[in-house]
Amino acid sequence: MYMEFQGKKQTILCLSFVTLFSLLGLLCAPNIVVEEVHVGVILDMGSREGKIILSCISTALSDFYHLHNNYSTRVILHTRDSKGKALHALSAALNLLDEIKVEAIIGAQTRMEANLLAELGEEAKVPVLSLSELRTSPFGAPGEYPFFVEIAQDETSQVTAISGLIEMFKWRDVILLYENTDYGRDIIPFFINSFEEANVTIVYKSCIAASSADEQIIEELRNLTKLKTTVFVVHVSHFLVPRLFLNAKKLGLLSEGYAWIMTSTSMNFLHSSMDPSVIESTQGVLGLKSYTPASTRLHNLTSRLRRIFYMQDPNIEVSAVIPDGIWAYDATWALAEAVERTSSSTGLNLVNLNNITSSKHGLLLLQEILQTRFKGLSGEEIQYPNGKLVSSAFEIVNVIGKGERRVGFWPCEEKHTCTRDSYPLNNRRNLLSTNDLETIIWPGGSSTIPRGSKMQLSNSSEIKLRVGVPVKKGFNELVHMNLDIQTNRTRFTGFCIDVFEAAIRALPYEVKYDFVPFEIGINASYNDLVYQVFLQTFDAVVGDTTITWERSQYVGFTIPYTDLGVGMLVSNENGDMWIFLKPLSADLWITIAGFFILTGFVVWVIERPVNPEFQGTPSQQIGTILWFAFSTLVYAHREKLLNNLAKFVVIIWVFAVLILTSSYTATLTSIMTVNQIRLNSRGDYIGYQSGSFTQGLVKNLNFKGLKPYNLVEEYALALSRGSKHGGVSAIVDELPYMKVFLAHYPTGYSMIKPESTTNGFGFVFPKGSKLVHDMSMQIQLMREEGKLIDMEKVWFHKRTIPMFDNTTSDPNTLNFHTFRGLFLVTGVSSAFALFIFIIFPLKEKWYAVKKFRFRYQVREKLQRVRKFFSRKVSKETSRQIVHEAKY
């Protein structure tokens, strides 16, 4: 017993010492300084979604610091209620930046909020982690807000999936239903482009406002029942889903034969937000959902949220964490990690809205967020390159009974793969066949794929278009509005109207239309008119509407029915008595005259010794020189040349004269046809049509001034005055307008046509409209049959319009520099002939003198020999010696 007691005593003493040293170690250990980093959270706290998202954010911080309790930073949340309104969200953000000095903001549940907070975050250099995308537009520029980070899945990534499903089921026509909000409208251009690539026609686009009464929704749905298409693509918020489907079911639009496909936004909230009656009305609906693999962490989060809301708000039942909650959880985790990495930097600079300065800490924090890569709540890798969450796969779900059933997947990226056990889709844009999906139960309880159908236009399926027509002053031959005072009705006439009506009448189905005037002026442009088709204010636009790439991004154009390109209108030259001197410059005139005289002189020098026609008195010889030289201009010289050198000189000169006269004739013809205008930035004015497409084109030119005009008469007056008298030197406009002008003024003006820079006029329809294709076919047929030319003759008075293809500039005066090579050849040829002529006579004289001297020397030697031998030999011998001496 004693030994046992001693052993226990020693154990107690050891434990006491260990505890004592542990306490001393804790007391001696340095204190960990925790740096608080303030972050703002702006949500709609009155909504169910806002409460769940806030709980996910708070839970994420609790989990993060529980795992990383040794970190020296702590994120402190400051929540603000946006009350579901963008201005409240903006006010809350201003308060957080000005009063709390937050270093980041999480929130922005709507696109309007996202755009406002993106602007503010960019000015303050504070990262904004948004649950909503920025509002997109056909003219949007990517990368405009680098401090804006989209933490939710990109909604536009689902467009390809829906388009692929429609292709797989071999549906060629669809009806698009969307909500009349920024959220609903902004995704429509992506749908249109994707459907066009898949050769799928949007036969009708139905726009429904969230504030619409049930009667208005029923009326719109009743219009859809008149169409032949039974395939609907729905993109509305979960606030509108209940009334839409309940009313659609009442009208029989969810019976057998119909197909409904919902975007992920609606499906993500469907079962967590709707009551059983709504679930019942959506039976058979096919939809997309953000794919969230099951994981232990996600299951634990769901359980914790159930307990939280059971204690705080029993009315909120959490069956599953909504996607926004999962994305907010992961984004909060990424933010906390990024804050720790930048803990060595100072806090955010004080933000004063009157003098907002750049925050180095904000930039560092943003960089760390963008570089973050970790396993998210669902087990998938989370990263935000370029400020956007990398999209994961979509689930394809089918609403059946009280729930939904997964029937397949759609990978968003090439690298995403699934196993066959998890319902894979091939890593391509299109599905191979319906075998890639599980069995789908369609509306009405049938498993047979609905046929859908093309919109068969007939008398029983009437189409009535609301057609916008531009109204402005001038060029009434193209489009003109007449008001009948007696009937108080407007009537539209013009070339554009005739072409449209002829094409409409030729369609194999009936299309009714009403023309609606749209005034073009200071407050409205052609771009505004075209954009009305995108906004569905008009169903089409008919008039002098130019086809441009920018406009084609959000509307559809038919093929052009007019000539392409922009022309330059100028006044013809007249009244100048010295116009014949203009083709050649003064130095060239002098050089030509000098060479005429030089050539005549060289020929005279060569021919005078042997040719009587070049001989005579001095005055006769001078006259001969001038006459012969200038008569070569028209090849009228009558003198016969005897010397080959003179002939050589004349041949070269006649060749030069031929080139000079041809160039002179061509230049003079151009000058007499078109007034030579030397357009420069200091002395000339250019005219253009106010409000037309060329207005933006000419403003890029560097001229002294640009003057806008509207009427044909204004064009003529400005050109007749010229730049020096308050007018213009030229007018730049599209070819159809030029034709109208020249029809009014057949003489005195001409058009220079450069290379085509525009695509002509076309009719405007919504993108994806069947009428774009059908009307284009009729326009092409009218062009082949010559009907378009006949219509032009009717409106343009059968005038043959002079048009000069000139891709460089107007004819320039020819100068000596242009022909210096020609004169060099002529001069060298004349000098060479003269040199040969002088050298040969001198050589002959030299040979004659040399021969004479030789003979004289031989004679003297012979005489000496005779004298010597006459003394010593006989006469006969002497003759022999002399004879030998000769040879």
Side-chain angles (χ1 to χ4, degrees), residues 37 49 92 99-100 112 178 190 255 290 331 549 552 679 754:
V37 178
E49 290 74 28
E99 301 294 335
I100 309 300
M112 184 71 75
Y178 64 96
F190 298 96
S255 57
S290 300
W549 175 86
S552 299
L679 300 177

Side-chain angles (χ1 to χ4, degrees), residues 297-313:
R297 293 176 61 195
L298 183 58
H299 177 74
N300 292 337
L301 176 62
T302 305
S303 301
R304 291 163 66 183
L305 291 179
R306 286 174 182 169
R307 289 194 297 270
I308 291 173
F309 283 101
Y310 179 78
M311 297 176 62
Q312 295 180 355
D313 193 346

Side-chain angles (χ1 to χ4, degrees), residues 322-563:
I322 60 176
D324 277 359
I326 297 174
W327 294 323
Y329 183 100
D330 290 335
T332 305
W333 194 283
L335 177 62
E337 184 66 37
V339 165
E340 178 64 26
R341 293 179 185 175
T342 57
S343 60
S344 58
S345 304
T346 58
L348 184 66
N349 295 337
L350 296 180
V351 179
N352 188 323
L353 292 178
N354 296 323
N355 184 24
I356 295 179
T357 60
S358 249
S359 170
K360 182 179 178 181
H361 187 274
L363 182 59
L364 291 174
L365 182 59
L366 173 67
Q367 292 173 348
E368 292 295 339
I369 293 173
L370 299 182
Q371 294 173 3
T372 300
R373 297 183 67 173
F374 63 96
K375 292 293 183 180
L377 185 63
S378 62
E380 292 193 334
E381 188 174 79
I382 301 297
Q383 53 181 322
Y384 307 97
N386 303 319
K388 288 188 176 183
L389 174 67
V390 175
S391 296
S392 59
F394 285 100
E395 290 181 275
I396 304 173
V397 297
N398 186 204
V399 181
I400 300 175
K402 296 182 179 180
E404 60 190 28
R405 182 172 62 93
R406 180 195 300 162
V407 295
F409 286 96
W410 186 274
C412 293
E413 298 197 358
E414 295 283 336
K415 64 181 181 180
H416 183 89
T417 58
C418 300
T419 63
R420 179 63 189 172
D421 296 336
S422 59
Y423 309 97
L425 293 183
N426 297 284
N427 295 328
R428 298 194 295 271
R429 183 180 183 277
N430 301 326
L431 296 174
L432 287 177
S433 67
T434 54
N435 294 330
D436 293 313
L437 298 178
E438 296 294 318
T439 302
I440 299 173
I441 304 301
W442 299 98
S446 173
S447 60
T448 303
I449 299 174
R451 288 184 56 190
S453 65
K454 288 187 177 181
M455 180 180 65
Q456 299 175 357
L457 298 168
S458 62
N459 293 333
S460 61
S461 178
E462 179 182 296
I463 293 181
K464 189 168 186 179
L465 304 177
R466 181 178 169 85
V467 181
V469 181
V471 177
K472 63 177 181 179
K473 296 180 180 179
F475 297 98
N476 296 333
E477 288 79 3
L478 295 173
V479 178
H480 182 56
M481 183 181 71
N482 298 304
L483 179 61
D484 191 338
I485 301 177
Q486 296 180 351
T487 61
N488 196 27
R489 296 181 61 183
T490 57
R491 181 171 174 266
F492 290 89
T493 59
F495 172 72
C496 300
I497 302 297
D498 282 0
V499 175
F500 174 78
E501 291 181 337
I504 283 289
R505 287 194 299 268
L507 291 175
Y509 46 83
E510 182 181 1
V511 178
K512 295 184 178 180
Y513 53 88
D514 288 328
F515 290 132
V516 181
F518 185 91
E519 188 171 354
I520 303 295
I522 299 175
N523 299 323
S525 65
Y526 280 88
N527 283 338
D528 298 326
L529 172 59
V530 173
Y531 199 65
Q532 297 305 309
V533 176
F534 175 75
L535 298 177
Q536 293 193 339
T537 304
F538 294 136
D539 301 311
V541 169
V542 173
D544 49 341
T545 311
T546 305
I547 302 171
T548 67
W549 175 86
E550 186 180 43
R551 294 170 181 171
S552 299
Q553 298 302 300
Y554 53 97
V555 295
F557 279 96
T558 63
I559 62 173
Y561 57 89
T562 62
D563 292 333

Side-chain angles (χ1 to χ4, degrees), residues 218-229:
I218 291 173
E219 181 63 26
E220 180 65 20
L221 292 174
R222 191 170 280 123
N223 292 332
L224 301 183
T225 60
K226 300 176 183 178
L227 300 175
K228 301 299 182 182
T229 302

